[in-house]
Amino acid sequence: MTTTDLDALARRALALAPAEGRAIVGIAGSPGSGKTTLARGVAGRVEELAGPGTAVYLPMDGFHLANATLDALGRHDRKGAIDTFDGWGFVALLERVLAETGNPVYAPAFERTVDEPVAGSIPIPPGTRIVIAEGNYLLVDADPWARIRPLLAESWFVATPEEERMRRLVDRHTRHGRTPEAAAAWARDVDGANAVLIEASAARATLVVDGSGGSAGVSDLAAAHA
Ligand SMILES: Nc1ncnc2c1ncn2[C@@H]1O[C@H](COP(=O)(O)OP(=O)(O)O)[C@@H](O)[C@H]1O
Ligand SMILES: [Mg+2]
């Protein structure tokens, strides 16, 4: 992924916007593949090309269930697994993004400092033409997730070698306070189990993007959003 690639992907996204209304591009990929970095980068580049207010970055992460809900379900220890998200809520939000172009639509965001989703965090104003939605399970072929793909103008899958993803995940988990041993165990057991399901969904994507990095352009972005 180079800055040229990022520019090409932003132009590709922009070309999907209809004359009236808006288009959603969905970016899927395993934990640590680089989805968030890519989605923010593309949304930012679209705004440089088409003007401020034309693109919104929309993470599926805002649909994490609250910690109290995960406790009640006995799923807190597997936070990030497919059944620890409000998938139906995410589908409904994407439908609203396409249907409600005359009023603001507010999406929740995942707030890492409190480890909880926060409602009303991401405004999608009427002028938005491109929404870059991003998350683990966008291409999973089971309800409610299977309802997402028909809402997307295109879907991109970020493919990154497992070894590189593991390195990034251990780094992330240790930065967020886990011991190196606990970080490695979480990356292997929890993230690893989720990745099996996610990688199996790659064939449903319109385009596969190499997320292994190494270029100046996206490395800079990666550092800015780490
Ligand atoms: N193309 C890239 N090159 C190098 N590092 C990257 C690249 N994309 C992402 N990263 C780094 O990898 C880590 C995971 O990226 P992130 O975008 O958060 O992945 P995801 O959202 O898929 O879990 C971050 O530390 C980020 O800075
Ligand atoms: Mg992410």
Side-chain angles (χ1 to χ4, degrees), residues 64-157:
H64 266 289
L65 295 174
N67 287 324
T69 304
L70 293 173
D71 286 335
L73 292 170
R75 295 293 287 156
H76 203 152
D77 61 344
R78 286 294 178 268
K79 190 165 178 165
I82 192 164
D83 62 345
T84 66
F85 289 89
D86 176 17
W88 291 102
F90 186 49
V91 170
L93 192 278
L94 294 178
E95 287 170 347
R96 288 189 59 208
V97 163
L98 292 178
E100 298 181 29
T101 53
N103 55 267
V105 174
Y106 286 95
F110 186 70
E111 186 54 64
R112 280 200 193 274
T113 52
V114 290
D115 195 39
E116 295 274 15
V118 178
S121 299
I122 301 174
I124 301 162
T128 307
R129 299 186 57 224
I130 295 289
V131 172
I132 309 287
E134 164 265 311
N136 287 356
Y137 304 115
L138 268 57
L139 293 175
V140 168
D141 193 15
D143 254 350
W145 308 95
R147 297 173 186 238
I148 293 174
R149 200 170 64 150
L151 305 174
L152 306 176
E154 279 197 353
S155 55
W156 303 346
F157 190 89

Side-chain angles (χ1 to χ4, degrees), residues 24-25 33 46 50 52 83 92 103 106 124 126 134 140 143 146 154 166 171-172 191 199 206 209:
I24 306 173
V25 173
S33 61
V46 168
D83 62 345
N103 55 267
Y106 286 95
I124 301 162
E134 164 265 311
V140 168
D143 254 350
E154 279 197 353
M166 286 297 150
D171 182 56
R172 174 194 291 169
D191 296 325
E199 293 296 318
T206 320
V209 178

